[in-house]
């Protein structure tokens, strides 16, 4: 495509997954590239592909493990020494770790994860953002996650790091509002990369819902180029999680995410559990969403009440989509759950006081 000439994008985690797909889109649009990852062999092969397919003029490869101390500073120093101006920064590199925090997971791996997901991303942003502000030009994409806005038992530290990334990015958006520098948070759902294998979560139920990294990268890239503050790829189903994150109690969200992160049941037990799970989660989410909206509605002014009425309607329309991955194999049970959930949420305002009293009792 080659629509951009003379500009350079730096992509961390470029050797695979979402990072590789975003690097491909940048190459198609004519950006020169700085590719950062632990595997230089993979990056060398990727460089040849980009040069052959997209006529990319300049590709710089930096082999670096960003979980190491001062790795981000070293990357920045190498870029400056080569006289490269980074116009676009994509902070994609990140890892996860699966298991119970108190008993299962290893602290050294968690410490390295925090360093990579939080410290390296923050330092990379600080170093390159300073140069962008001097030029008053630049774009940054930070890879957050849908787990940025929901608790996630069994991946508690990972979810915590992504909550930091999202909050950090949204804070910088406000700081940068009077400049020509933009920063965007990408919040994908579970994506079909090597992430779950490396995290030790390859047999969890969430892996039945994996999304296409090409789609995720495309949505993230378009949001980056448009300077949007955030993007949740995947349509209504994933955006409904955002609605639930704002209106449902955190305990209910934690229970929902805990179930998704459990190991897949044995084949004989799976069919038996799906119908019960569909009813239980669907009914529970409808009730807690109604309670959350109802309590807030009771104490709100007229303008806020109008907003809550809209949220209640939105939640009712989207709950079935949020649960669709759980109940694909039990269509009849799903339809009944959807009907009951919509019925409960639509009556959330009228029964808010009664529900509040019932919870208190």
């Amino acid at each position: 495509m080659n629509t951009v000439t003379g500009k350079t994008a730096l992509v961390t985690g470029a050797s695979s997954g979402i990072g590789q797909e975003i690097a491909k889109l940048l190459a198609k649009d004519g950006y020169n590239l700085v590719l950062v990852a632990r595997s230089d062999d993979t990056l060398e092969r990727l460089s040849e592909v980009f040069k052959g397919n997209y006529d990319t003029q300049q590709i710089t490869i930096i082999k670096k493990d960003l979980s190491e101390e001062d790795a981000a500073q070293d990357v920045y120093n190498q870029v400056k020494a080569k006289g490269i101006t980074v116009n676009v920064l994509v902070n994609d590199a990140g890892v996860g770790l699966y298991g119970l925090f108190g008993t299962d997971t290893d602290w050294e791996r968690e410490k390295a994860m925090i360093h990579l997901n939080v410290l390296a991303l923050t330092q990379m942003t600080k170093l390159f953002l300073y140069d962008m502000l001097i030029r008053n030009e630049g774009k940054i994409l930070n890879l957050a996650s849908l787990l940025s806005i929901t608790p996630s038992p069994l991946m508690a530290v990972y979810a915590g790091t992504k909550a930091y990334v999202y909050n950090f990015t949204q804070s910088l958006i406000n700081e940068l509002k009077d400049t020509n520098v933009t920063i965007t948070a990408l919040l994908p759902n579970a994506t079909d990369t090597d992430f779950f294998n490396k995290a030790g979560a390859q047999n969890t139920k969430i892996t039945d819902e994996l999304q296409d990294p090409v789609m995720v990268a495309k949505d993230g890239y378009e949001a980056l180029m448009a300077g949007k503050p955030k993007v949740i790829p995947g349509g209504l189903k994933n955006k409904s999680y955002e609605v639930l994150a704002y209106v449902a109690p955190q305990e209910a969200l934690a229970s929902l995410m805990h179930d998704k992160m459990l190991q897949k049941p044995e084949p004989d037990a799976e069919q038996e559990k799906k119908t019960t799970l569909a009813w239980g989660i669907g009914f529970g989410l409808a009730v807690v969403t109604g309670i959350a909206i109802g309590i807030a509605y009771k104490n709100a002014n007229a303008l806020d009440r109008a907003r809550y009425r809209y949220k209640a309607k939105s939640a009712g329309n989207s709950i079935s989509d949020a649960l669709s991955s759980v109940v694909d194999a039990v269509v009849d049970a799903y339809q009944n759950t959807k009907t009951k959930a919509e019925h409960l949420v639509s009556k959330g305002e009228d029964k808010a006081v009664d529900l509040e009293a019932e919870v208190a009792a």
Side-chain angles (χ1 to χ4, degrees):
M1 189 176 296
N2 289 323
T3 60
V4 176
T5 57
K7 291 192 174 185
T8 299
L10 187 154
V11 183
T12 69
S15 60
S16 63
I18 298 171
Q20 184 179 116
E21 294 301 329
I22 291 176
K24 184 186 300 183
L25 293 170
L26 287 160
K28 284 182 178 180
D29 272 354
Y31 280 90
N32 296 319
L33 296 173
V34 178
L35 304 179
V36 182
R38 290 180 296 179
S39 173
D40 54 350
D41 290 341
T42 302
L43 294 183
E44 289 287 357
R45 291 194 296 270
L46 197 61
S47 174
E48 294 303 315
V49 171
F50 288 169
K51 288 178 179 178
N53 292 352
Y54 312 123
D55 196 28
T56 308
Q57 298 301 305
Q58 181 179 339
I59 299 179
T60 301
I61 292 172
I62 299 178
K63 180 183 178 181
K64 181 60 62 176
D65 182 353
L66 290 174
S67 67
E68 297 175 352
E69 190 71 24
D70 292 326
Q73 182 70 59
D74 185 55
V75 170
Y76 177 79
N77 292 345
Q78 290 190 51
V79 169
K80 296 295 286 186
K82 296 176 184 296
I84 298 172
T85 297
V86 172
N87 307 97
V88 176
L89 171 64
V90 178
N91 284 312
D92 172 79
V95 295
L97 184 62
Y98 178 80
L100 292 169
F101 174 74
T103 56
D104 294 349
T105 55
D106 176 71
W107 168 242
E108 291 302 320
R109 290 187 63 184
E110 284 168 332
K111 183 168 66 173
M113 176 171 60
I114 294 169
H115 199 295
L116 174 60
N117 294 5
V118 174
L119 295 179
L121 178 144
T122 305
Q123 190 173 20
M124 290 284 287
T125 301
K126 190 171 189 67
L127 293 168
F128 288 102
L129 176 60
Y130 182 83
D131 294 341
M132 291 178 180
L133 288 173
I134 291 176
R135 302 191 310 268
N136 197 26
E137 172 272 333
K139 297 179 182 297
I140 299 173
L141 180 69
N142 285 338
L143 188 69
S145 167
L146 265 182
L147 298 187
S148 302
I149 56 176
T150 64
S152 185
L154 300 177
M155 294 195 78
V157 177
Y158 172 77
T161 65
K162 291 303 179 178
Y164 168 85
V165 171
Y166 180 66
N167 192 295
F168 170 65
T169 302
Q170 296 306 306
S171 297
L172 292 188
I173 288 167
N174 180 266
E175 293 184 10
L176 299 173
K177 65 181 180 180
D178 295 324
T179 74
N180 290 323
V181 180
T182 62
I183 184 165
T184 302
L186 173 58
L187 283 72
N189 202 343
T191 306
D192 191 9
T193 67
D194 202 33
F195 172 85
F196 288 96
N197 290 327
K198 292 178 178 177
Q202 62 269 30
N203 194 45
T204 53
K205 290 192 280 186
I206 191 69
T207 58
D208 288 335
E209 306 178 24
L210 297 181
Q211 298 189 314
D212 184 0
V214 175
M215 178 275 293
V216 172
K218 179 176 179 295
D219 284 0
Y221 183 71
E222 290 175 352
L224 168 67
M225 291 297 126
K228 294 181 178 178
K230 68 176 179 181
V231 58
I232 299 176
L236 178 61
K237 174 182 174 181
N238 289 338
K239 290 178 176 61
S240 68
Y241 283 113
E242 183 180 23
V243 175
L244 289 174
Y246 295 147
V247 301
Q250 292 293 293
E251 183 177 351
L253 290 173
S255 295
L256 174 63
M257 297 310 298
H258 191 175
D259 179 79
K260 287 179 174 292
M261 291 308 302
L262 290 175
Q263 296 290 311
K264 295 177 185 177
E266 294 298 323
D268 291 343
E270 184 173 3
Q271 187 65 30
E272 180 180 348
K273 289 184 177 180
K274 280 186 175 180
T275 301
T276 303
L277 181 62
W279 277 94
I281 296 178
F283 186 83
L285 283 176
V287 171
V288 297
T289 301
I291 292 171
I293 295 174
I295 293 172
Y297 179 84
K298 177 184 175 184
N299 299 311
N301 58 36
L303 178 59
D304 286 338
R305 288 188 180 190
R307 290 174 179 165
Y308 278 111
R309 283 197 296 269
Y310 173 76
K311 283 186 178 181
K313 181 178 179 182
S314 298
N317 291 335
S318 59
I319 282 176
S320 62
D321 291 290
L323 298 169
S324 61
S325 60
V326 181
V327 294
D328 284 342
V330 282
V331 176
D332 291 339
Y334 165 73
Q335 292 295 341
N336 290 334
T337 301
K338 176 183 174 184
T339 301
K340 289 179 177 291
E342 291 177 343
H343 179 69
L344 284 167
V345 174
S346 67
K347 290 188 174 183
E349 295 177 7
D350 296 336
K351 295 187 177 181
V353 176
D354 292 338
L355 285 170
E356 183 182 3
E358 183 178 335
V359 171

